[in-house]
Amino acid sequence: MVEHRMVDVNGVRLHIAEQGDGPLVVLLHGFPESWHSWHHQFGPLADAGFRVVAPDQRGYGRSDHPRDVDAYTILHLVGDVVGLVQALGEEKAYVVGHDWGAPVAWHTALLRPDMVLGVAGLSVPPPFRGTQPPLAAMDERFGGRFYWNYFNRPGVADAELAKDTRTALRKIFYWASGDAPGAGEGGQPLVDPERGWLAVMPDPEVLPEWFTEDDLDALTESFSQGFTGALNWYRNLDRNWELTAAWHGAVVTPPALYVYGDRDVVPAFPGTPELIERLPALMPNLRREPLKLAGCGHWTQQERPDEVNAALIDFLRATS
C-alpha cells in the first residue's frame, strides 16, 4: 500500500507518498501535477525491489507553498531532493523526473553526482545551458506569446487557471496528450494575449482511457490552494540560467535514461529535436538510445505506464 506523511526538508514541509523497501527511487512530478502522477509506478517499482517515494514538490499539493517567487529557484528544488534523501535516512538515491521534475532530477545529478545512483528524465531532456536567458530568448523568438512568457506575468495565468480548476486541468491534460487532434505535428504552445492560454484548447467530452475522472478528482484537489506556487517555477527560468552559470558546458555523469513520446509538444521546442539527436554523443553515461514511445503525448508515465515501468525497472536493475 502507498503510505503518506509529511517530512521537514530544506526549510519546507513536503508531503510524500511511499511504498516498498530497497534502494531509494525518488519520483518528481511536473506541471500541473502532483505525486499522483506516478500512481502507476508505485506497485511495479516496489515489487521490483525498490523503495519508491514521490513528493508533492514545493508549491504543489499538500506541501508548503512559499510566498516569495525567488523561493522556487532550481537550487531550492535540488536542495529539496537532497534534503529529502537525507531525511529518509539514505545517502544515495535514484532520481526520476517528468516535465518540470526532469530538470530537477537532471540538475540533482549535475550538482550532486555523489548522491545520485542513476537519473531518468521523461519528456524533458538533460539540461544544456544556452547562451541566452530562456525567457528572454522565447520572448524574442515568439513576441511574448510563448506560454513561459505568459506564465511569467504576475497573477495572470494564476487567475485564468484558478477560475475553474477542474476544467482547466481537463483541457490541459487532453491538449498535451497523444490523443489530442494535431498532437505531434510540431506546433508551439503559443498564447493568445487577449483570450488566454486555455482558449485554444479543446474540452473533451470523454477523457482519454488512461486519464480517469478519479485521476482528475485527485489532481483538482491538489490545486485547492491555487496555481501560484507552481507558476513560480517558470518565473525563475532566467534566474536559474544566472545561478547555473558555473556549470555551463558541464554534463550529467551518473548513469542516465531519457524517455519521451513522439506526440509530445516539449521535445518539439526550438532546438530540442537537435539536442535529442545528439544526446548519445553528449551524455557520457546514457545507458541506451533515447526511448521514443509511439503515439505518446506529454504525460509519459501515465499514457504509457507499462512501457515506462519496464524501461525504468531495466535501468534501475542494471545500475543497482
Side-chain angles (χ1 to χ4, degrees):
M1 293 290 293
V2 177
E3 298 181 348
H4 298 262
R5 61 187 171 107
M6 303 298 292
V7 181
D8 291 314
V9 167
N10 194 25
V12 296
R13 283 175 61 77
L14 297 182
H15 161 252
I16 67 167
E18 58 185 331
Q19 183 179 355
D21 296 295
L24 176 61
V25 180
V26 178
L27 304 177
L28 302 169
H29 66 78
F31 174 90
E33 301 180 83
S34 72
W35 74 271
H36 184 78
S37 303
W38 300 102
H39 66 285
H40 292 301
Q41 280 66 55
F42 277 90
L45 267 61
D47 289 345
F50 296 92
R51 181 187 183 188
V52 186
V53 173
D56 284 334
Q57 297 199 75
R58 67 166 62 199
Y60 285 87
R62 286 182 263 169
S63 294
D64 282 352
H65 295 230
R67 295 189 61 174
D68 292 342
V69 174
D70 60 5
Y72 294 87
T73 73
I74 194 66
L75 298 186
H76 289 86
L77 304 175
V78 170
D80 291 348
V81 177
V82 171
L84 178 59
V85 171
Q86 294 171 341
L88 294 171
E90 303 289 349
E91 295 181 356
K92 299 176 182 288
Y94 294 94
V95 188
V96 180
H98 167 256
D99 184 76
W100 249 115
V104 179
W106 294 124
H107 277 89
T108 302
L110 183 67
L111 307 185
R112 290 302 306 268
D114 59 306
M115 293 187 66
V116 175
L117 296 167
V119 57
L122 311 182
S123 177
V124 180
F128 287 90
R129 186 175 175 275
T131 57
Q132 279 183 284
L135 288 171
M138 289 303 195
D139 186 50
E140 180 181 312
R141 187 179 186 112
F142 295 109
R145 295 186 59 207
F146 198 70
Y147 79 107
W148 293 355
N149 301 103
Y150 178 69
F151 285 1
N152 195 46
R153 295 162 59 189
V156 178
D158 318 48
E160 182 187 10
L161 298 177
K163 184 176 180 180
D164 183 343
T165 299
R166 186 181 180 87
T167 297
L169 293 168
R170 182 174 60 244
K171 293 178 77 169
I172 292 168
F173 266 70
Y174 180 66
W175 164 78
S177 75
D179 300 271
E185 295 180 1
Q188 298 298 324
L190 305 183
V191 180
D192 183 327
E194 302 299 324
R195 300 169 63 208
W197 194 44
L198 302 174
V200 300
M201 297 181 186
D203 191 356
E205 293 184 9
V206 179
L207 292 175
E209 186 176 332
W210 54 268
F211 188 60
T212 68
E213 293 290 345
D214 287 344
D215 293 331
L216 185 56
D217 288 341
L219 195 60
T220 302
E221 172 61 26
S222 73
F223 284 95
S224 61
Q225 296 185 59
F227 290 82
T228 299
L231 291 167
N232 283 342
W233 289 44
Y234 290 90
R235 292 162 184 160
N236 279 282
L237 280 167
D238 283 2
R239 186 176 288 110
N240 292 342
W241 184 82
E242 296 172 2
L243 290 171
T244 55
W247 291 272
H248 189 82
V251 297
V252 172
T253 56
L257 171 72
Y258 174 57
V259 182
Y260 69 107
D262 67 355
R263 305 194 77 185
D264 185 351
V265 65
V266 172
F269 284 1
T272 306
E274 294 80 8
L275 171 60
I276 293 172
E277 191 172 311
R278 295 175 58 217
L279 276 182
L282 292 171
M283 295 279 289
N285 219 349
L286 194 69
R287 289 305 177 97
R288 59 177 292 173
E289 293 278 329
L291 175 59
K292 180 162 68 172
L293 303 177
C296 182
H298 181 59
W299 316 106
T300 327
Q301 75 273 25
Q302 297 179 76
E303 293 187 53
R304 294 291 188 275
D306 292 343
E307 291 163 272
V308 169
N309 292 343
L312 286 176
I313 290 169
D314 285 348
F315 172 70
L316 296 170
R317 284 178 168 165
T319 54
S320 62

